[in-house]
Amino acid sequence: MEFNDFLIDQGQIIHKDKDDHLFRQGDMNSSLYYIKQGFLKAYYISEDGKEFVKSFLSTGNVIANLTSVHLKQPCSYSVICLEPATLIMVSFEDLYQRSLEDQSIARTIIEVLLKLALKKERREYEFLCLSAEKRYDLIQKNMPELLEKVTQNDIARYLGITPVALSRIKNRQ
Amino acid sequence: MEFNDFLIDQGQIIHKDKDDHLFRQGDMNSSLYYIKQGFLKAYYISEDGKEFVKSFLSTGNVIANLTSVHLKQPCSYSVICLEPATLIMVSFEDLYQRSLEDQSIARTIIEVLLKLALKKERREYEFLCLSAEKRYDLIQKNMPELLEKVTQNDIARYLGITPVALSRIKNRQ
DNA sequence: TATTCGTTTTAACCCAGGTTAATTACGGCC
DNA sequence: GGCCGTAATTAACCTGGGTTAAAACGAATA
C-alpha cells in the first residue's frame, strides 16, 4: 500500500481556521499531519515568555512532534495556522506499525526522515557558521516568497534575533 | 536480515589513526560508517578558513554524509578521528537498496533516522533559543565526559563561539 | 473620517561575544 | 634540564544584537 493510500484510508480530514493550533507545547500529541492545504508556524515559547520560530510549514509537507509521538513526552513546541488549513491526521503509532509490514510505506517514511534530517542539518549549519545578517541574505536568496507571506516579526524570530535587530539589518543593506 | 548482520556481511573493517580523516568537505563519499571503537569530530571549514564543530561521534553510532550519499553532492563537512578508531564501512546505496526488500533493515534505518532528527532538532532549539552561556551549562549538565575528552578550543567551536569567549564564560561562573 | 491595534522603524544605552595580541601553562621531545 | 608547539588565559578595543521606549505606519473597523 502506498503512503497516500494509507492517509486516505486511515486518516481523518480536519479543517483549521487561521490562528488555530494543531498542538501546543506541553501537551501530548500522537498524530502525524499531512498538510493538504495551508501555511503553518512551529514555535517555541521560552520560560520568560519569548517566542522563537522553529520552522514554517507549507502545503504538501508532513508534520509530527517527534518528542511526543516517538519519545512519548510532552510536545516541545507548538504549531499554529497562519492561514485556514486542511490537513489529514493519522496516528503516528499506526503508521509506524504499518511501516513494519509494508515496504512502500517504510520507504516513504525513510524518504521523509532523510529530507527532514537534511533540512535540520542545513539549519544547524546556518546557526553554527553564519551571522544573523548572512542568514537573512539566504532567506532573500532562497525563500523570497517567505518574506511576502509572513511578518518581519516572525522572520526575525525565525532567524533567532529580535524584530529590532532585523530592522537594523535591512537598514544597513 | 538484521542490520548488524548486513554490516558484518557486506561491510569492510577499516582502521584509522588519530588525526586521520574519514572524509573531507568537498570530496564525494558514498559510505556509511559504523563506529566499532573510537571518537570522532565532524566539522565545517568556512570560506575564510574558520573551523566550526558540527558534532562529536562516539562508539556505537553511525555516520554518513547525507549531502553526499543521498543528494550525490560533495561532502558538506569533514570527519576526523580524535583517537585511533575501528569502523565498519558499507555502501549507503547498497544498504538503502537492501532496506527496500528487508523489513528489519528498514526498521533499523527508520530508528537511526528518527534518533538523528531528534538530535538535530535539539541542537536547533539550543542555537535558536539559548545563549552561548546556557548552551555551555547544558554540556556541563548533560555531557560532562565531553569536557574531559576534547580541548576547550573544540568545545568553543562546537558552541559556535571563539575559544576566547568560552574562557570568559568559564571565568564568570 | 476617526479610532484602534499590530507592525515596523528609530533612537539611546547596554552587554555578550569577536578580534588581536601578548602572556602563561602544559605537555612532548631532543 | 632546555626547547617547541599547542592550549588556555588575560587585556584592550570593537561591534552586532538585546532592551526599552517612543514614534511612524499601516489596515481594519466603527
Side-chain angles (χ1 to χ4, degrees):
Chain A
M1 183 189 255
E2 295 290 321
F3 183 76
N4 280 342
D5 299 331
F6 180 84
L7 284 184
I8 290 164
D9 214 52
Q10 302 291 316
Q12 181 184 342
I13 294 244
I14 58 174
H15 295 278
K16 290 283 186 184
D17 290 334
K18 178 163 155 46
D19 295 334
D20 279 355
H21 275 83
L22 218 52
F23 51 79
R24 282 172 192 273
Q25 187 173 332
D27 292 353
M28 292 303 297
N29 182 286
S30 57
S31 300
L32 176 143
Y33 303 86
Y34 172 82
I35 307 171
K36 250 175 97 75
Q37 174 61 45
F39 191 64
L40 300 84
K41 174 177 80 170
Y43 65 99
Y44 296 98
I45 298 290
S46 68
E47 299 202 353
D48 53 336
K50 295 213 181 74
E51 176 181 335
F52 299 89
V53 175
K54 175 174 156 56
S55 58
F56 298 103
L57 306 155
S58 53
T59 303
N61 285 100
V62 301
I63 168 75
N65 193 293
L66 294 183
T67 308
S68 201
V69 300
H70 190 57
L71 301 183
K72 316 289 187 193
Q73 289 168 12
C75 290
S76 44
Y77 56 88
S78 303
V79 170
I80 193 173
C81 299
L82 298 183
E83 57 183 51
T86 305
L87 307 107
I88 307 180
M89 176 175 76
V90 294
S91 155
F92 181 84
E93 192 62 31
D94 290 355
L95 177 64
Y96 188 78
Q97 285 305 321
R98 185 66 71 98
S99 79
L100 299 181
E101 305 151 18
D102 189 312
Q103 222 57 263
S104 167
I105 287 186
R107 183 195 181 119
T108 304
I109 291 184
I110 289 175
E111 211 50 53
V112 166
L113 286 174
L114 272 171
K115 201 174 137 197
L116 174 65
L118 275 161
K119 198 168 104 182
K120 293 295 123 179
E121 258 188 21
R122 175 86 200 156
R123 192 146 151 85
E124 170 187 67
Y125 162 78
E126 291 174 4
F127 277 126
L128 180 63
C129 305
L130 305 180
S131 67
E133 183 160 359
K134 289 254 179 63
R135 297 200 296 277
Y136 179 64
D137 291 345
L138 283 183
I139 291 185
Q140 288 187 116
K141 197 174 305 170
N142 302 332
M143 352 164 55
E145 347 70 64
L146 192 63
L147 301 178
E148 309 300 316
K149 281 184 110 166
V150 309
T151 67
Q152 207 167 298
N153 282 353
D154 278 343
I155 294 286
R157 288 171 194 132
Y158 176 71
L159 290 172
I161 60 179
T162 61
V164 178
L166 179 52
S167 178
R168 279 191 292 237
I169 286 174
K170 286 179 67 178
N171 197 269
R172 68 178 183 247
Q173 281 185 338
Chain B
M1 181 189 257
E2 295 290 322
F3 183 75
N4 281 341
D5 299 331
F6 180 84
L7 284 183
I8 290 164
D9 214 53
Q10 302 292 317
Q12 179 184 346
I13 295 242
I14 57 175
H15 295 279
K16 289 283 186 183
D17 290 334
K18 178 165 153 44
D19 295 334
D20 279 354
H21 275 84
L22 217 53
F23 52 78
R24 283 171 191 272
Q25 187 173 332
D27 293 353
M28 292 301 297
N29 183 286
S30 57
S31 300
L32 177 145
Y33 304 85
Y34 173 82
I35 306 171
K36 249 175 99 76
Q37 175 61 46
F39 192 63
L40 299 84
K41 174 177 80 171
Y43 66 98
Y44 295 98
I45 298 291
S46 68
E47 299 203 353
D48 53 338
K50 296 214 180 72
E51 176 181 333
F52 299 89
V53 176
K54 175 174 155 56
S55 58
F56 298 103
L57 307 156
S58 53
T59 302
N61 285 100
V62 300
I63 168 73
N65 192 294
L66 294 183
T67 308
S68 200
V69 300
H70 190 57
L71 301 184
K72 315 290 188 193
Q73 289 168 10
C75 290
S76 44
Y77 56 88
S78 304
V79 170
I80 193 172
C81 298
L82 297 183
E83 55 183 52
T86 304
L87 307 109
I88 307 179
M89 175 175 77
V90 294
S91 154
F92 181 84
E93 193 61 31
D94 289 355
L95 176 64
Y96 188 79
Q97 286 305 321
R98 185 66 70 99
S99 79
L100 298 182
E101 306 151 17
D102 189 312
Q103 221 57 263
S104 168
I105 287 186
R107 183 194 182 120
T108 305
I109 291 184
I110 289 175
E111 212 48 54
V112 166
L113 285 175
L114 272 172
K115 202 174 135 198
L116 174 66
L118 276 161
K119 200 169 102 183
K120 292 295 122 181
E121 256 187 24
R122 175 88 200 153
R123 193 148 151 83
E124 171 187 65
Y125 162 78
E126 292 174 4
F127 276 125
L128 181 63
C129 306
L130 305 180
S131 67
E133 182 158 359
K134 290 254 178 61
R135 298 200 297 275
Y136 179 66
D137 292 345
L138 283 182
I139 291 185
Q140 287 186 115
K141 196 174 305 169
N142 301 332
M143 352 163 55
E145 347 70 64
L146 191 63
L147 301 178
E148 309 299 316
K149 281 184 108 166
V150 310
T151 68
Q152 206 166 298
N153 281 352
D154 278 343
I155 295 286
R157 289 172 193 132
Y158 175 71
L159 290 171
I161 59 178
T162 61
V164 177
L166 179 52
S167 178
R168 279 191 291 236
I169 287 174
K170 286 178 68 178
N171 197 268
R172 66 177 184 246
Q173 281 185 339

